[in-house]
Amino acid sequence: MRQSVSAVRVLSFAILALGTAVGTTGCFKKGVRGDYALAPEMRPLEVPPDLNVPATNGDTRIPALASSSTKPAAVAPAAAPAASASGFTVAGSKEDVFGKVGTALEGVQGVTIASRAQLLGSYDVAYEGSNFLVRVVAVDAGAYVSAVDPRGLPATAEAPVKLIAALKAKLAQ
């Protein structure tokens, strides 16, 4: 019996010594872990708490969620812009009017179509020394055809106004 007690003591001292050795070697290092252990310049950016939640003071409107249908919600057409010398409204869908405008542009003497983008609804044209876009946009009353200068503003120079008038006459037929 004496042998078993001394064997238990020796075994417990061995386990205690092994635990102390493992604990002091750094295998179970305590301290900061994760991104905070990195150098400050290597840490990911932190968002201040008040910037990750939308404002609720009424200044910001949060859009309502679409219905639970699987079909995406259609974008409502814009209201027709005010009538001007650089644009007019035509009855019909944007796609139909875009095709008619292309046919009409090809029939106008002196017009060169550099490119056409049906998804954007625009023709890049050159006419009487001016380069501008002829744009077709869906509106409540159909489609709005207009001339746009390189800055994105309505083209009011002589050549775009003249071409829009010619397109209006051709599409009214």
Side-chain angles (χ1 to χ4, degrees):
M1 180 136 174
R2 199 159 166 81
Q3 253 181 347
S4 65
V5 172
S6 66
V8 170
R9 283 186 185 166
V10 171
L11 187 59
S12 63
F13 283 127
I15 291 174
L16 182 64
L18 181 63
T20 305
V22 169
T24 59
T25 59
C27 292
F28 299 101
K29 185 177 179 182
K30 292 185 178 181
V32 180
R33 293 186 182 160
D35 292 335
Y36 297 105
L38 298 173
E41 60 272 2
M42 299 299 292
R43 293 180 192 158
L45 293 177
E46 295 179 19
V47 178
D50 59 335
L51 291 180
N52 62 1
V53 180
T56 57
N57 60 1
D59 293 343
T60 305
R61 287 189 171 173
I62 299 174
L65 294 175
S67 65
S68 61
S69 67
T70 57
K71 188 175 181 182
V75 176
S84 70
S86 63
F88 60 95
T89 304
V90 178
S93 71
K94 176 185 170 185
E95 292 77 19
D96 293 338
V97 173
F98 183 81
K100 292 176 185 177
V101 168
T103 304
L105 282 171
E106 291 168 353
V108 175
Q109 186 69 27
V111 172
T112 304
I113 300 173
S115 66
R116 46 185 98 212
Q118 186 169 358
L119 288 177
L120 298 175
S122 65
Y123 291 93
D124 187 1
V125 299
Y127 182 64
E128 294 185 354
S130 295
N131 294 325
F132 54 93
L133 293 177
V134 173
R135 190 172 61 185
V136 180
V137 179
V139 293
D140 291 335
Y144 184 71
V145 180
S146 64
V148 180
D149 70 6
R151 299 171 295 167
L153 300 174
T156 56
E158 184 180 337
V161 170
K162 185 177 174 182
L163 181 59
I164 290 296
L167 286 175
K168 186 175 183 178
K170 283 187 175 272
L171 293 176
Q173 296 173 355

